[in-house]
Amino acid sequence: MKIDHIVVNVDEKYQKNNSIIENIRKTGLFYEPKKGKCTNGFKASNIWIGNEYFEMINILKPRGGGWVSEWTDRFNQGHRGMICLMLDIESIELLYENLTKKGIEISQPNWLEFKWFFNLFTRKMPWKNAYLPFFEKVPFQIGFQQLKDEKTRDFMNQYAIPNSRDNGISGINEIIISGEFSDTDFKLLQSIFDLTESDNNTINILLNSKQKLIFNKSNNYSVIVKTESSLNTSMVIENIKIIC
């Protein structure tokens, strides 16, 4: 299991304001907001960092144009920032089986689909997703993703451009998430992930790829993403501070 990408609800300024776009680029993060999937209801723009990326979503119309309905609803209610942390996994069906046996709620794994061109066409993506429920008071959820096969992964890597690894930023190695996590939230995390260290206020999760997730109890919801980098820069996108 490893970090795949972070889904972020963003205002349109992160996709249209030239000054903000240039500030992102100045940190060493390659960013071309004109690239990325879109429909008449949403626009995605990606910041690729090695094999990981930020998927920044702006909702163009209230119904979202085929985007994930619950994320769209929260966007319309004013949510900005990380809405989902997606983790790459080898067998999503096995994960689903194991978690349901433990009594943990998780959605049925399904191929990701979205409609486009006035809902006349459906695009089916070559990966399956499943999601945990949203945390009780922290407005994001954890999702799991399994690609169809390695051929699909190789094909997708061709589209992971422009990639910040060309600027010496080779990947995401740590994510620190702070928020009003409950004791129930912490018990859920400890039931899902094997390699954890914890106290009353913090849980450290070591993923198989030696990436780390840290969950802190705090009154404010914020995210820090640390990258493997030869640079020494940082910037903020919505509620996420990216440290290169």
Side-chain angles (χ1 to χ4, degrees):
M1 188 182 300
K2 67 181 188 66
I3 298 166
D4 189 85
H5 67 280
I6 299 170
V7 186
V8 190
N9 283 345
V10 297
D11 281 329
E12 68 173 10
K13 64 185 180 182
Y14 289 98
Q15 297 177 340
K16 292 187 175 182
N17 186 298
N18 290 332
S19 177
I20 291 175
I21 293 167
E22 187 57 32
N23 284 338
I24 294 174
R25 292 170 176 165
K26 285 179 180 178
T27 66
L29 296 168
F30 280 130
Y31 180 44
E32 181 44 71
K34 292 181 181 179
K35 293 181 178 290
K37 60 181 177 284
C38 67
T39 68
N40 67 332
F42 77 90
K43 172 72 176 78
S45 56
N46 301 329
I47 298 177
W48 296 93
I49 305 177
N51 294 325
E52 297 86 52
Y53 64 102
F54 294 88
E55 186 175 39
M56 297 160 56
I57 302 294
N58 178 243
I59 300 300
L60 307 177
K61 293 186 177 180
R63 295 182 66 180
W67 191 238
V68 180
S69 60
E70 190 166 9
W71 300 350
T72 300
D73 291 341
R74 291 186 179 240
F75 183 98
N76 292 332
Q77 294 163 10
H79 176 282
R80 300 293 184 272
M82 185 172 74
I83 190 74
C84 187
L85 170 61
M86 293 297 301
L87 302 177
D88 181 88
I89 191 165
E90 291 184 359
S91 175
I92 200 167
E93 298 291 349
L94 180 59
L95 174 77
Y96 176 79
E97 181 181 345
N98 290 340
L99 293 188
T100 51
K101 282 181 179 178
K102 293 180 180 180
I104 295 172
E105 183 181 350
I106 181 173
S107 67
Q108 184 91 31
N110 284 309
W111 300 105
L112 182 65
E113 297 180 345
F114 64 90
K115 294 185 180 298
W116 60 290
F117 197 69
F118 306 104
N119 289 330
L120 294 177
F121 301 100
T122 299
R123 184 176 180 184
K124 183 176 180 179
M125 310 305 289
W127 56 78
K128 280 186 176 181
N129 287 359
Y131 304 96
L132 298 174
F134 275 76
F135 291 96
E136 291 185 344
K137 292 184 179 181
V138 188
F140 87 100
Q141 64 185 155
I142 295 175
F144 302 93
Q145 177 174 289
Q146 179 189 344
L147 290 183
K148 184 177 180 180
D149 49 36
E150 286 304 312
K151 184 178 179 180
T152 299
R153 190 182 303 277
D154 292 340
F155 177 78
M156 288 182 62
N157 285 339
Q158 298 177 31
Y159 291 89
I161 54 175
N163 198 308
S164 300
R165 66 158 62 97
D166 296 332
N167 259 352
I169 309 173
S170 57
I172 295 173
N173 57 21
E174 185 173 289
I175 301 176
I176 304 169
I177 306 163
S178 300
E180 293 185 84
F181 292 106
S182 66
D183 292 340
T184 301
D185 292 332
F186 270 26
K187 288 178 182 178
L188 175 67
L189 292 169
Q190 290 170 319
S191 298
I192 294 168
F193 298 98
D194 296 327
L195 301 175
T196 65
E197 298 176 353
S198 64
D199 56 33
N200 290 333
N201 295 310
T202 303
I203 288 184
N204 296 323
I205 299 170
L206 185 63
L207 301 178
N208 291 347
S209 57
K210 296 186 179 180
Q211 296 169 327
K212 184 182 287 188
L213 305 177
I214 300 175
F215 294 81
N216 291 323
K217 290 184 179 180
S218 171
N219 292 329
N220 299 311
Y221 175 37
S222 64
V223 181
I224 297 174
V225 177
K226 296 183 179 180
T227 67
E228 187 70 32
S229 173
S230 58
L231 305 178
N232 184 21
T233 59
S234 66
M235 78 156 307
V236 175
I237 297 175
E238 300 294 2
N239 74 329
I240 301 173
K241 182 175 183 180
I242 306 169
I243 299 176
C244 301

